[in-house]
Amino acid sequence: MPLEEFLEQAYGSPGRPIPDYFTSAEWASLVFLYNLDPSLHGPIRQLYSRLLGTPDDVGRLVALFDLHELQTRASQVMKRKCVGAHLLAIGAYNVVYLLPFDDGTDIVARLRIPSGSHQQPGLNVGAKELADRFVSEVATLNFLTTKTSIPVPSLYYSDGDENNPVRTPYMLMQRKTDDPARWRKLVAQVAGFEVELYDNPLPSIGSLVDANGTVGPLVRSCTTSLLPAKDRGPYKSSKQYMLAYVDIELDGVKATDEWIASRTLRSQFNGGAESLPPEYAIQWFQLLRDAIMKLPEEIPTCPPVFRLVHCDFTAGNLLFSSSEDDDPMIVAVLDWEGARVLPAWDARAGCNIWWMMQILEEEQLKTDLCQIYSDVISMDGRKIGRSPLDLEDVMDYLAWAPSVMQSRSSLDGWFLSWFANATMTGGNSCASELAAFQALKIFIEDHHV
């Protein structure tokens, strides 16, 4: 079907002919992508929505780059003539172009948005942090290529200099096509990725800085902006890792004037600045810190394994291909920017199957897939996933600045709910670890209003 009909089916009639919304060059680029490969139809829908909603904003954004220089460099790297640069996707931190060549092949170029964040201005970050993320992603891709069979797009070239001729850091990478099909094979493949990462343990918690597996400080994740203010690692133990995040909260509350101002800005989320008194918050987080200080460096029932994790493992970052028998195969895992090395007990990230659960409707199939995944990642005595104490829930809560975003009642309610769950899942095997948190529980109960 023509592109106009395709877009009208997806979004309905916009009230005037669709091409009238775009310049002739923009429309010609969309038509080119649409006719090139059916696997690009999903990205085209998303791009169309963005172009339709904020065309001037997109125009200003793409004008930041020198696309002629990008094509010239691509021609030099690939040793064939690049004949175009077609906008394919716009994310929070990057813009993606498809670059076709005169021999019918193509690659993708991912360009860093110079400000650091296009969709979320509040997440803009400094030049050094952006540079660190770029270096870490290149190191992660190279580590995965040399140490595992996890498919990542071939990295043909990268330039991290923000003053290069293209006018921003960028990467030139392989493009592969997608056609997802049978779920059971996919689950086994995804679980296999997680096993490979577990079987390539790293010495500490942080982010990779080279392909040899050297771990440096944490870089900002793509899924949350919060980072420890003073100590970003690398951390030699899970205990050090957790303490760094608790210290963010304590240091923040102790800077009381700034903390209250921050709460005031978010009063629609936290019930008002006054809903959590600073003196109460200081005692609360100090008791949480005291509890973590009493824990061993690693929880005895959890394996002391630190493994690389993908922080945004979703369908949008996977490319698929079908074999002759129509079985699906993941042929590339994209967007390793912000990847981290985390403890094996931290199930918040990694090669998981939760994205499948959001797509599928049949409950029995979901149950079967979860069992397949569990069987694979548990083989040979491995323990990958949630800790008996549900510590990943603690880390997830701390990662979203609870002292700023929560009221006293929601803060207390979360902890008591966590403690009850941890008591149920940890049981006698973690009795001493749970005892460390009793002081905070008593404090909450004694101050219950």
Side-chain angles (χ1 to χ4, degrees):
M1 76 178 65
L3 177 57
E4 293 94 332
E5 184 179 345
F6 170 77
L7 293 176
E8 284 176 353
Q9 284 188 0
Y11 292 95
S13 175
R16 60 189 168 105
I18 290 176
D20 289 354
Y21 280 93
F22 308 104
T23 66
S24 58
E26 288 172 340
W27 183 251
S29 184
L30 284 173
V31 170
F32 174 85
L33 294 171
Y34 179 74
N35 293 329
L36 178 67
D37 187 342
S39 71
L40 297 177
H41 290 183
I44 287 171
R45 286 195 190 98
Q46 295 177 338
L47 179 61
Y48 166 71
S49 179
R50 174 62 64 82
L51 288 170
L52 198 63
T54 56
D56 294 338
D57 192 24
V58 173
R60 285 190 294 269
L61 176 62
V62 300
L64 297 172
F65 313 121
D66 191 324
L67 299 181
H68 175 73
E69 288 291 345
L70 179 66
Q71 291 179 235
T72 298
R73 191 64 186 133
S75 298
Q76 294 169 346
V77 170
M78 304 307 294
K79 296 181 171 54
R80 49 189 184 269
K81 184 175 178 56
C82 180
V83 294
H86 300 276
L87 181 63
L88 184 59
I90 301 173
Y93 294 94
N94 300 282
V95 174
V96 178
Y97 281 87
L98 184 140
L99 307 180
F101 294 88
D102 57 0
D103 62 352
T105 61
D106 60 72
I107 62 174
V108 292
R110 199 176 74 173
L111 285 62
R112 168 62 50 77
I113 296 173
S115 65
S117 175
H118 172 60
Q119 293 176 319
Q120 299 167 284
L123 296 187
N124 289 354
V125 292
K128 183 180 185 306
E129 188 169 329
L130 290 173
D132 289 345
R133 279 175 54 155
F134 189 90
V135 169
S136 181
E137 183 177 13
V138 172
T140 298
L141 290 172
N142 289 328
F143 175 87
L144 291 165
T145 299
T146 57
K147 300 291 188 181
T148 77
S149 67
I150 297 173
V152 294
S154 297
L155 181 62
Y156 300 127
Y157 180 78
S158 65
D159 187 339
D161 184 0
E162 61 184 13
N163 297 312
N164 62 39
V166 179
R167 299 201 290 261
T168 192
Y170 66 97
M171 299 179 185
L172 301 178
M173 298 184 293
Q174 178 185 24
R175 183 181 77 88
K176 296 182 178 181
T177 61
D178 69 305
D179 183 17
R182 299 177 186 170
W183 297 103
R184 287 177 174 81
K185 183 174 180 180
L186 281 178
V187 167
Q189 188 183 16
V190 170
F193 296 163
E194 189 73 347
V195 166
E196 282 199 72
L197 294 173
Y198 184 96
D199 288 344
N200 280 279
L202 293 159
S204 52
I205 299 167
S207 296
L208 292 182
V209 297
D210 61 39
N212 297 321
T214 304
V215 181
L218 283 175
V219 299
R220 192 180 299 271
S221 164
C222 293
T223 52
T224 177
S225 62
L226 191 63
L227 278 173
K230 295 185 298 187
D231 176 18
R232 296 187 180 183
Y235 312 107
K236 294 299 183 183
S237 71
S238 297
K239 178 177 175 177
Q240 291 180 15
Y241 170 56
M242 290 187 285
L243 286 172
Y245 276 85
V246 177
D247 286 341
I248 301 177
E249 298 302 308
L250 267 176
D251 292 344
V253 181
K254 288 176 180 178
T256 304
D257 291 342
E258 293 86 348
W259 181 75
I260 291 175
S262 185
R263 283 187 58 82
T264 301
L265 287 173
R266 295 162 177 81
S267 58
Q268 71 270 34
F269 304 111
N270 58 31
E274 70 288 346
S275 68
L276 178 61
E279 59 275 10
Y280 186 87
I282 289 173
Q283 293 183 69
W284 200 102
F285 284 101
Q286 184 61 58
L287 287 168
L288 180 61
R289 191 183 197 283
D290 293 345
I292 293 174
M293 282 294 296
K294 294 176 183 177
L295 297 178
E297 295 300 310
E298 301 296 334
I299 302 300
T301 54
C302 299
V305 174
F306 308 141
R307 90 293 191 204
L308 183 68
V309 301
H310 190 293
C311 288
D312 193 18
F313 195 88
T314 60
N317 285 326
L318 303 176
L319 295 182
F320 305 87
S321 177
S322 289
S323 61
E324 291 181 359
D325 62 358
D326 205 32
D327 280 342
M329 181 67 70
I330 296 172
V331 294
V333 181
L334 307 177
D335 199 4
W336 290 85
E337 183 179 18
R340 294 176 164 193
V341 182
L342 295 178
W345 55 257
D346 194 339
R348 294 174 299 141
C351 301
N352 58 65
I353 61 170
W354 307 123
W355 57 275
M356 296 185 193
M357 302 300 104
Q358 297 172 344
I359 295 172
L360 298 173
E361 296 183 359
E362 185 183 338
E363 293 302 321
Q364 185 57 52
L365 178 58
K366 292 181 183 181
T367 300
D368 293 346
L369 296 181
C370 289
Q371 188 60 55
I372 292 170
Y373 183 84
S374 177
D375 289 345
V376 174
I377 66 172
S378 301
M379 65 176 63
D380 300 325
R382 295 183 185 86
K383 291 183 180 179
I384 309 172
R386 303 185 72 85
S387 70
L389 287 181
D390 212 9
L391 292 175
E392 58 275 31
D393 190 30
V394 176
M395 292 306 303
D396 193 48
Y397 201 68
L398 292 173
W400 294 99
S403 69
V404 169
M405 298 299 293
Q406 303 294 323
S407 65
R408 172 176 161 179
S409 61
S410 63
L411 192 68
D412 289 347
W414 167 81
F415 176 82
L416 293 175
S417 176
W418 168 80
F419 189 87
N421 289 336
T423 300
M424 199 162 39
T425 58
N428 293 332
S429 64
C430 297
S432 60
E433 287 79 16
L434 279 166
F437 294 91
Q438 281 286 351
L440 177 54
K441 181 174 181 289
I442 293 170
F443 170 79
I444 292 171
E445 293 170 342
D446 285 348
H447 289 79
H448 179 67
V449 179

